[in-house]
Amino acid sequence: MDAHQEELSNPFAMDEDCRNCPALADCREQVVHGYGDAGAEFVFVGEGPSAGAEAAGVPFTGDDAGERVQRILGDLGFSRSPPDAAEPDLQNVYLTYLSRCRHPERPASDEEVRNCEPFLNAELRMINPHIIVPVGDRALRELAIEYTTRAPESFDVHDEHATTVRGRGFELVPMIPPAEQTDAQEAAFVEHVEENVFSRDYRQTKGRRSR
């Protein structure tokens, strides 16, 4: 795939007409690929686009839940835009999903998530972030299979919210889905990242390759 890494929207030029999942391709409005800084140290991974994100074509935008995520990004210094921006001005963070297409009546099936794995794996390989933020139980458990030594079923995002989980090659900082978060849980997430991630040299925990 070609890279357009100066762009925030789909900077790795992934297939915007993907038809690997016919049931999704037939009902989606558009494919919602990743958005953000291709050189980011932080990657947020959700389960799949909401109706608002699908309409906007940008992950974690277009509705109240998206605004909560964008507000968090602003508080952490990753966004230079208001929370309701349709195309946020992001730095040092990349937003993406397990599944890139939305079905209006159901979540993506396990097979559909597997069909999207090459997109996510390619993004993580090319970005090579320090911190991955799994948003929701499904994202946490899918990433746990690949990047931790714990059994996926041992994770509960409500228990792991605003904590750091040591992984293989990355650290995970799980987040409760924004639509389910309270203001107190939002504040706890921001506080954890500021005090327990930013305050230490998390780069050394990864042994990251230089660019």
Side-chain angles (χ1 to χ4, degrees), residues 66-80:
E67 287 190 23
R68 185 181 290 276
V69 172
Q70 296 302 323
R71 187 164 60 245
I72 289 170
L73 298 181
D75 289 344
L76 294 174
F78 294 150
S79 176
R80 294 166 286 198

Side-chain angles (χ1 to χ4, degrees), residues 31-82:
V31 181
V32 185
H33 283 304
Y35 180 98
D37 184 348
E41 296 175 314
F42 288 72
V43 173
F44 282 58
V45 181
E47 179 175 349
S50 65
E54 181 185 41
V58 177
F60 300 107
T61 65
D63 52 25
D64 290 345
E67 287 190 23
R68 185 181 290 276
V69 172
Q70 296 302 323
R71 187 164 60 245
I72 289 170
L73 298 181
D75 289 344
L76 294 174
F78 294 150
S79 176
R80 294 166 286 198
S81 305

Side-chain angles (χ1 to χ4, degrees), residues 19 23 36 52 56-58 82 95 105 107 110 118-119 121 124 129 131 139 158-159 187:
R19 301 194 64 84
V58 177
L95 311 177
E105 298 177 355
D110 290 343
F119 292 132
N121 290 342
L124 294 178
I131 306 293
H158 287 80
D159 295 335

Side-chain angles (χ1 to χ4, degrees), residues 6 24 29 48 56 66 99 115 122 136 160 168-169 190 196 204:
E6 298 304 313
L24 295 181
E29 292 184 20
S99 174
N115 287 343
E160 310 288 346
R168 293 193 296 260
V190 171
N196 297 288
Q204 294 183 2

